Amino acid sequence: MAEFPIACNLQGDYGFKVIVVDEDDTIADVIQKTSDQLVGVLVAPFPPDTVLKARIHGAEEPLDDDVTLKGANILQMAALDIYAEG
């Protein structure tokens, strides 16, 4: 396990925040850790049934929730957009 900083922009926030995760975390883990740190502090809570997805900044397609950062070949300080699906 290694600390792995990622720049995340959570929908509703004004900019990217550095979130420290683990290189073996899945995209779902990154979404959860980012939400845990920002929702209710900098971002208003999402409706209970909201599904959040992540994509590399500038990409069209979301990342698979089950892929790890290492498995997706995501580099440290990569920019991810986290957004409500649909």
Side-chain angles (χ1 to χ4, degrees):
M1 290 206 226
E3 287 188 343
F4 199 91
I6 294 289
C8 295
N9 183 299
L10 181 62
Q11 181 176 317
D13 198 357
Y14 63 88
F16 288 89
K17 303 293 185 284
V18 176
I19 306 295
V20 178
V21 294
D22 188 274
E23 66 182 352
D24 292 321
D25 280 349
T26 65
I27 296 302
D29 295 331
V30 173
I31 292 169
Q32 186 63 54
K33 289 178 180 183
T34 301
S35 297
D36 288 348
Q37 291 183 41
L38 301 179
V39 171
V41 179
L42 296 172
V43 176
F46 294 99
D49 58 344
T50 301
V51 175
L52 295 176
K53 301 298 276 180
R55 64 177 166 234
I56 295 172
H57 183 69
E60 294 288 325
E61 295 298 315
L63 296 160
D64 289 332
D65 286 342
D66 296 333
V67 70
T68 64
L69 292 170
K70 188 173 17 177
N73 295 319
I74 294 175
L75 302 174
Q76 289 190 21
M77 291 305 296
L80 297 181
D81 296 318
I82 299 173
Y83 59 95
E85 185 176 56

